[in-house]
Amino acid sequence: MHDILGIFDSGVGGTSIWKEIHKMLPAEDTLYLADSANAPYGEKSKEEILRLSIKNTEFLLDRGSKIIVVACNTATTNAIDYLRANYHVPFIGIEPAIKPAALQTKTKKVGVLATKGTLSSSLFHNTSKLFAEGITVLEQEGKGLVELIEAGKVRSREMRALLEEFLRPMLAQHIDCLVLGCTHYPYLLPVLKELLPEDITIIDSGEAVARQTKAVLEKNGLLRTDGDAPSFIFYSNKDVEVLKSLIDCPKAQVSYLDF
Ligand code: DGL
């Protein structure tokens, strides 16, 4: 049966997208794959990111996914074209939200915090060129952030120090929008809000991805209609405790799986 909404990420970060999807589509069965044993993807080559994305996709397809949400900017920007061309289900991706930031900024200076893999991708470059004309985009690689989040150290001293270091050059240039270009980063919102002046808008794409997922399911007649209680299955090939704590949903079934 092909009736599951499949989601994958390099690790626990894509659960920030799962939450938005679950809020918008509460009746859908979901299957989430956290490839935490291979995180971070952001430091890997394009070939390696593609290989892992193919592996995750085939895992989700083998278990009946009717649509796949690539809940990872790094995998989307490096692999989604290939996935769309080679597999029969619709794919939803996520990219740094340059367009909404470009529309909102008054200082004409926008910061983007993302992984090296995302910032170096041609998809990111093309999107920036298309939507950020006349705007200075200050790119900052979030080196080390994903590792700390995967280790459950969101509110640690190391995290605060890294963020302070990454935000300093952007603040010196008077950005007024900060784009979170990695699905792990919404978990940093409480710390970011402490570190950033109130007039800086933080933008992430989670809700837009959920809206797009709903629209594509509707358009393809794939919305679940049977009325049975949905299941929310999560697999990780590393630490399930961090995953569980971030999902924070009593109905989620979270297990370790060696994949
Ligand atoms: N959540 C992934 C993203 O959105 C993290 C990338 C990584 O594993 O480095 O880019």
Side-chain angles (χ1 to χ4, degrees), residues 9-11 13-14 38-43 71-75 94 115 118 146 181-184:
D9 179 36
S10 62
N38 289 303
Y41 280 14
E43 299 293 312
C72 175
N73 292 259
T74 312
I94 179 161
T115 68
T118 295
V146 166
C182 170
T183 56
H184 282 68

Side-chain angles (χ1 to χ4, degrees), residues 5 7 13 18 21 27 39 60 63 79 133 158 174 176 185 198 225 249 255:
L5 198 157
I7 306 178
W18 177 82
I21 289 175
L60 292 171
R63 282 154 187 84
E133 219 194 304
E158 298 113 282
H174 305 294
D176 62 355
Y185 300 168
E198 266 178 26
T225 50
C249 168
S255 322

Side-chain angles (χ1 to χ4, degrees), residues 27-220:
E28 293 294 326
D29 283 324
T30 61
L31 172 59
Y32 181 101
L33 190 59
D35 190 17
S36 293
N38 289 303
Y41 280 14
E43 299 293 312
K44 298 189 189 312
S45 67
K46 185 176 169 71
E47 292 68 37
E48 185 63 359
I49 297 167
L50 183 60
R51 186 184 73 75
L52 293 167
S53 300
I54 290 171
K55 186 172 147 233
N56 297 337
T57 294
E58 294 191 346
F59 177 99
L60 292 171
L61 288 176
D62 286 349
R63 282 154 187 84
S65 296
K66 59 185 174 182
I67 186 168
I68 292 181
V69 179
V70 182
C72 175
N73 292 259
T74 312
T76 298
T77 50
N78 286 279
I80 203 154
D81 291 344
Y82 179 92
L83 299 177
R84 286 192 171 128
N86 286 279
Y87 297 95
H88 61 280
V89 295
F91 284 86
I92 308 292
I94 179 161
E95 283 181 68
I98 293 285
K99 188 180 171 187
L103 292 171
Q104 272 184 58
T105 178
K106 295 202 170 56
T107 60
K108 304 286 176 213
K109 286 186 179 151
V110 165
V112 180
L113 191 58
T115 68
K116 185 172 159 193
T118 295
L119 294 173
S120 62
S121 69
S122 43
L123 191 56
F124 174 74
H125 280 286
N126 294 341
T127 307
S128 296
K129 225 191 275 163
L130 195 64
F131 296 114
E133 219 194 304
I135 293 181
T136 306
V137 178
L138 294 149
E139 298 174 13
Q140 176 63 55
E141 192 187 317
K143 197 172 168 54
L145 299 179
V146 166
E147 289 90 326
L148 286 175
I149 297 166
E150 289 287 323
K153 294 182 177 169
V154 168
R155 303 252 14 165
S156 62
R157 215 160 356 114
E158 298 113 282
M159 179 65 83
R160 220 181 152 85
L162 274 184
L163 286 175
E164 274 170 351
E165 180 193 326
F166 296 157
L167 296 174
R168 204 171 297 125
M170 301 193 198
L171 292 173
Q173 296 274 341
H174 305 294
I175 61 158
D176 62 355
C177 289
L178 175 67
V179 176
L180 302 186
C182 170
T183 56
H184 282 68
Y185 300 168
Y187 288 112
L188 303 178
L189 274 171
V191 192
L192 285 169
K193 283 184 179 155
E194 283 167 21
L195 296 174
L196 287 171
E198 266 178 26
D199 55 354
I200 294 186
T201 309
I202 304 173
I203 300 178
D204 83 84
S205 328
E207 202 190 318
V209 170
R211 234 181 292 121
Q212 176 68 0
T213 305
K214 187 175 179 201
V216 171
L217 287 176
E218 270 166 4
K219 190 172 139 226
N220 290 279

Side-chain angles (χ1 to χ4, degrees), residues 244-259:
K244 267 188 203 161
S245 71
L246 292 179
I247 300 163
D248 193 23
C249 168
K251 288 188 183 152
Q253 301 164 51
V254 188
S255 322
Y256 171 81
L257 194 71
D258 186 10
F259 59 87

